[in-house]
Structure formats: structure tokens, C-alpha cells
Amino acid sequence: MKILVLNCGSSSIKYALYNMDDKSVMTSGGAERVGLEGAFVKVKLPGGEKKQIMHDIPEHTEGVKFIFSLLTDPEIGVIKDLKEIDAVGHRMVHGGEKFNKSVLLTEEVLKTFEECSDLAPLHNPANLKGVRAVQELMPGLPQVGVFDTAFHQTMPDYAYMYAIPYELYEKYGIRRYGFHGTSHRYVSHRVCDFLGVKPEEQRIITCHIGNGGSVAAVKFGKCMDTSMGLTPLEGVMMGTRSGDIDGGAVSFIEKKLGLDADGISNLLNKKSGVYGITGISSDMREIEAAEKAGNPKAILAQNMYNYRIKKYIGAYAAAMGGVDIIVFTAGVGENQTGMRAGACEGLEWMGVKLDKEKNEKVRGEEAVISAPDSRVKVVVIPTDEELMIATDTMNLL
């Protein structure tokens, strides 16, 4: 069985074609600058070679159409006919309270999904464009939606509610939803397979730390809390997002800078976080290099970054009545050894003991990085959201 995974953003389309017989990636890539000048598609070929192809992509249907043509291209394609594709799985960002699991995308489902667009005005319409493009190009092909928010729908009301007038929740759905759910679900299950333990017996803290970052408390296989909120802005400090900030500080900044709602959103989402503190970059590799060179703002940013992750780990250990496993995943979590060490430093009191030498060696691979006598297992598990989407899609056919 062959499953195509699509992740359509406002100006990008990422894709991966899976052979689900052995769960291998046949090819993958992505279109960038959709609707803009200088659009191109990057393709990763079966042998690992990468190719960049310039192509005008005025909108998503044309982008999906061009990706389909690459899949069957005589030189770089991996299938002879599009009919070999059995289904398409889509990353859908915000399912609100409507979706707590992956579903086949019917017209009724898509109408319900559109109703959630107020909660993710940039992402949901783009996701929908990808679905409509496939419908137009390959009518009747089964499509499945896998929602970023679905895994977090098991949170109890006392964890997801904000302490604001209740009618704002009733009228507008203002509450904590959380994101990166597909990643948190994947790594919380995968780490149990890796360690040979049962998910329903483990208290797990999953740290998805990339340019965007979130932490989740997964108790006995179900999410009970997560750091992102109504939007992906809340929680830990991120590449360009502020993370947690006093609402009073937000209104203070608005008045001082004369910003409207869009202006303050842009400031907190795109000009804050690591980039805002350092003025250097949102890339933690560059910040780490600057830190080692003695840049005081880079040192401050790294300390803030690690400290906030540590705070969430401690809070979620308290919320679950303890912790058995801590997982680091995503670009920074899988590769930045200093962040992992910094986030675990001082947690010895709760049974966390890092193997410093092992931690320094592990980058982008599954590995236990805690010491043999650590009560809490600390593990690196590379995330694979695309495989999770492909698996959900296959299971719904």
C-alpha cells in the first residue's frame, strides 16, 4: 500500500510518499514560495540525492499537480501511475473541540473543519486547499485528516480552561488546545516500544523542541496537559515566539509602541523568543556558537531557553504525581546536547541523572541518555509525524 502525506502551509507544500508494506519513504520533498516569485520544489530521491527544481506555483492546486508529476517523472519519479497511490493523509492544524482522532475527510467533516478556521486563520485554510487540490486532480481518492490538536483532547477541563469569563469559552472556544500533537503521540508511544514498557503504565514528559517548541504530560497513554494554548504562542521560549508572557505586559507594550492586535501578534510570534533576546538568529545552532564565543545575549537566551523547559518538566512531574520517562525530540531536542543537559540540570532530586558522556554523543538517533542508576529514563527519540499520518491513513481505509 502506498500513502502520500501532504502538509500544506500558507506558502509551502511538504510531501512524502510511503510504501506501507515496510513503512519506507519512497520519496519526499516540498514546494516553497507558493503564490510568490521564485517558487521551487526540493526533491529527495531514493538514493538520498537532493534536487531543486524551479517552477512557477501560483496556488496550491498547481503545486500539488506539479508534485504529482514529479512522482511519476521518468527520471526522478518512483511510481509509474498515480493510481498506485491508495490514499492521501493530510496534516490538519486546528481541529478545535470537533476532532479527537484522525478521520476520513468527507464533505461534512471538511465543513466542520472550516468552522475551526477562526482558531488558525493562516493554517486551516491552507490545509483545506491541499485537500481540495487532491479532490480536483484525483476525484474519489480517499483522504484522511490528522489533527495537530487531537492528541491533546484528553486534557481535563481544569487543565485546558483559562481563568477568564466562562462565556468566552462558550461563545468563542477560547481554551488551551495544544499543538505538535501528532509528534507527542508518536514519541510517547515509540519510546515505550524502544524501552520495552507499556504506555498505559508510564508517566511520560515529551519535549518537542524545535524552532517551535512544546512540552506535554502524557499519563498512562493519554495527554493530560501541554504547554501551547489557544495558539502556538504560549509555553516555552521558542525561536521567534515569546512563549509565556504576562497579559498585562502585552497591553503595556501595545500602548508604548502604539501597536494594534496584528502588530502585537507579529511582535510576539515573529520578533521575540531567542531571536528577540539575541538579535542574532532564531537558529539554536547559531546561538550555541555565539554562546561559546562569549556573547552575553546568547548566553542569556540559552539560559532562559533551558530554564523554561526545565520549569515545564518539573510542573508536569508534579501534575502527574511523578515521572518515569522524559523524551527529547524535534530538531533542537534531537541534536542540541547543551539544551538537554541544561534542561535536566538540577532535577536530580526527582530521580533524573544524565549520563553526560552519552548525551554529548547522541544526535538524531534513538538512545537512552540517562545514567544506568537514574530512576527516570531520559531518552532521545527522533519524531516522525509523517509516518504517524501515513499509519493513521492506512488504518482508516
Side-chain angles (χ1 to χ4, degrees):
M1 179 177 285
K2 296 180 177 66
I3 303 290
L4 178 66
V5 174
L6 285 181
N7 178 356
C8 292
S10 56
S11 62
S12 65
I13 307 171
K14 296 177 183 177
Y15 71 93
L17 182 64
Y18 281 84
N19 181 342
M20 295 308 290
D21 294 340
D22 58 5
K23 296 186 177 179
S24 62
V25 180
M26 299 174 68
T27 185
S28 64
E32 301 288 342
R33 299 184 61 80
V34 175
L36 303 170
E37 290 185 11
F40 61 90
V41 178
K42 287 183 178 179
V43 183
K44 188 175 181 180
L45 304 178
E49 180 188 351
K50 295 180 180 178
K51 190 178 182 72
Q52 182 169 309
I53 304 166
M54 303 302 295
H55 186 80
D56 185 37
I57 307 175
E59 43 74 43
H60 285 73
T61 302
E62 177 59 34
V64 173
K65 183 178 180 180
F66 186 60
I67 287 168
F68 280 172
S69 73
L70 294 177
L71 295 176
T72 57
D73 185 87
E75 291 186 14
I76 64 173
V78 293
I79 55 176
K80 293 182 179 179
D81 195 300
L82 291 176
K83 292 179 181 178
E84 293 181 40
I85 300 173
D86 295 285
V88 177
H90 294 265
R91 180 206 179 202
M92 314 288 273
V93 170
H94 213 309
E97 293 184 321
K98 310 288 187 181
F99 302 101
N100 60 8
K101 60 183 178 180
S102 302
V103 294
L104 278 167
L105 295 175
T106 63
E107 283 304 317
E108 183 180 358
V109 166
L110 292 174
K111 182 180 179 182
T112 303
F113 178 67
E114 280 189 90
E115 293 170 0
C116 300
S117 290
D118 277 355
L119 297 170
L122 291 178
H123 295 91
N124 279 21
N127 300 158
L128 190 60
K129 286 178 182 178
V131 177
R132 295 302 187 195
V134 174
Q135 285 179 332
E136 182 178 328
L137 297 167
M138 295 186 69
L141 185 68
Q143 300 191 74
V144 167
V146 180
F147 302 88
D148 271 13
T149 51
F151 182 60
H152 304 306
Q153 282 296 299
T154 54
M155 285 190 291
D157 53 5
Y158 56 81
Y160 68 67
M161 287 296 296
Y162 290 120
I164 56 177
Y166 194 81
E167 63 183 30
L168 294 175
Y169 165 66
E170 293 179 303
K171 287 184 177 180
Y172 307 113
I174 299 175
R175 51 158 284 186
R176 180 183 308 282
Y177 289 100
F179 298 88
H180 298 138
T182 306
S183 176
H184 288 294
R185 177 161 61 108
Y186 174 80
V187 298
S188 63
H189 283 78
R190 176 59 199 154
V191 73
C192 291
D193 290 341
F194 181 65
L195 295 176
V197 296
K198 296 179 180 179
E200 59 271 19
E201 297 176 353
Q202 304 300 312
R203 295 162 300 180
I204 306 171
I205 297 172
T206 49
C207 305
H208 175 108
I209 311 298
N211 193 264
S214 62
V215 183
V218 185
K219 187 175 184 179
F220 308 148
K222 295 183 178 181
C223 177
M224 67 173 295
D225 206 348
T226 190
S227 59
M228 283 181 168
L230 175 75
T231 75
L233 177 62
E234 190 179 3
V236 298
M237 181 178 176
M238 300 172 234
T240 62
R241 297 183 190 129
S242 67
D244 295 334
I245 183 171
D246 177 8
V250 175
S251 58
F252 183 83
I253 295 168
E254 282 182 316
K255 291 176 182 177
K256 288 294 183 182
L257 300 185
L259 298 173
D260 59 11
D262 289 338
I264 196 69
S265 176
N266 185 62
L267 176 75
L268 297 177
N269 279 288
K270 298 181 179 179
K271 296 182 179 179
S272 298
V274 171
Y275 173 74
I277 293 294
T278 65
I280 298 171
S281 173
S282 62
D283 190 322
M284 291 306 295
R285 291 168 294 190
E286 293 184 37
I287 302 308
E288 192 171 43
E291 179 192 17
K292 290 177 180 177
N295 183 302
K297 289 183 179 178
I299 294 169
L300 171 62
Q302 188 71 68
N303 288 338
M304 291 172 65
Y305 195 81
N306 298 347
Y307 177 70
R308 292 186 175 201
I309 296 167
K310 183 193 302 185
K311 279 209 302 183
Y312 269 100
I313 291 172
Y316 288 164
M320 294 191 292
V323 58
D324 303 298
I325 305 168
I326 296 171
V327 182
F328 288 102
T329 193
V332 178
E334 294 168 25
N335 295 288
Q336 195 185 31
T337 62
M339 180 280 293
R340 297 193 301 243
C344 291
E345 185 181 2
L347 297 180
E348 291 80 8
W349 61 273
M350 59 183 252
V352 176
K353 187 176 180 182
L354 210 62
D355 183 326
K356 294 182 180 178
E357 290 186 10
K358 187 72 176 289
N359 178 51
E360 283 295 326
K361 295 177 182 177
V362 173
R363 287 177 172 81
E365 60 182 300
E366 294 184 339
V368 175
I369 57 172
S370 50
D373 59 342
S374 178
R375 287 202 318 273
V376 177
K377 293 284 187 186
V378 183
V379 190
V380 176
I381 298 288
T383 192
D384 198 335
E385 295 167 272
E386 290 79 13
L387 177 59
M388 192 87 261
I389 293 170
T391 301
D392 279 8
T393 301
M394 179 180 69
N395 291 339
L396 282 169
L397 296 183

